[in-house]
Amino acid sequence: MEKLNYEIIKQYQSFTSIDEMDLAVRGFLYKFKSSLSEGVIKVLNFLWRYSVKVVGVSFAKYDTIANEISLSRRTVIRAVKLLEELLFLKKIPTARMNGKQGVNLLVIQPFESIDSFYNLCHPRMSLYLSLLIKQRISKAHSVRLINKTVLT
């Protein structure tokens, strides 16, 4: 455990810009959002919003996160653990100046960009996927649109 100060937190910065972090989070959500619970998504969004002073690093306490998004502390802990297992977060324990355990640093990890997912599908489908993401069409409508274009 390390004693927490700004220089230590700065060492764990995982992105050079906020735009780079946004792309990583969006790529993660693109791949996993359908399998995540509402509570996990709330925790993820909280960490995403509060990781801008040091880009990609949040040092909010579990209680602070729970109070801010109206969930229980235990749900926040479970959500962070799940995000760790999915390799989206890295939790780094710290120590206070008096040696006791301090707040955990929650570091958002780089993730594949959305562009890498386009390479996995047919070129014609990648065009439709990019249009759907840009227009933010609802899930049900996008499935109907994709099925219609594949069949024709």
Side-chain angles (χ1 to χ4, degrees):
M1 280 197 275
E2 299 182 67
K3 292 187 177 180
L4 190 61
N5 60 33
Y6 186 73
E7 285 76 33
I8 298 292
I9 294 172
K10 194 81 170 151
Q11 289 175 2
Y12 291 107
Q13 183 171 337
S14 52
F15 301 100
T16 55
S17 70
I18 294 173
D19 292 333
E20 190 179 325
M21 178 181 66
D22 290 348
L23 283 175
V25 173
R26 287 186 182 122
F28 177 81
L29 286 171
Y30 179 77
K31 187 170 183 180
F32 291 106
K33 187 173 184 176
S34 63
S35 62
L36 299 175
S37 70
E38 185 180 330
V40 174
I41 292 173
K42 282 183 177 182
V43 170
L44 185 145
N45 285 329
F46 177 89
L47 294 173
W48 185 11
R49 282 188 319 230
Y50 287 87
S51 298
V52 292
K53 271 188 181 174
V54 179
V55 182
V57 181
S58 175
F59 41 91
K61 296 178 185 177
Y62 290 138
D63 291 329
T64 305
I65 298 170
N67 290 335
E68 192 73 27
I69 59 177
S70 303
L71 292 175
S72 70
R73 182 178 191 273
R74 185 67 198 138
T75 302
V76 171
I77 293 170
R78 271 191 234 107
V80 168
K81 186 175 180 180
L82 177 65
L83 292 171
E84 271 187 290
E85 289 170 1
L86 293 173
L87 302 176
F88 178 72
L89 283 181
K90 183 176 182 183
K91 184 169 66 172
I92 299 157
T94 61
R96 294 182 189 171
M97 294 300 184
N98 62 7
K100 294 182 179 181
Q101 182 179 355
V103 67
N104 292 319
L105 294 179
L106 300 172
V107 182
I108 297 173
Q109 298 300 302
F111 193 77
E112 296 179 64
S113 68
I114 292 175
D115 296 335
S116 65
F117 294 114
Y118 293 145
N119 299 333
L120 300 175
C121 61
H122 189 272
R124 190 170 172 195
M125 290 297 287
S126 65
L127 173 66
Y128 289 112
L129 287 174
S130 63
L131 289 173
L132 293 174
I133 290 169
K134 288 179 184 174
Q135 296 174 356
R136 297 178 186 207
I137 297 174
S138 69
K139 198 177 219 180
H141 185 272
S142 63
V143 170
R144 278 188 261 126
L145 181 64
I146 289 172
N147 287 339
K148 188 184 288 184
T149 57
V150 170
L151 295 175
T152 57

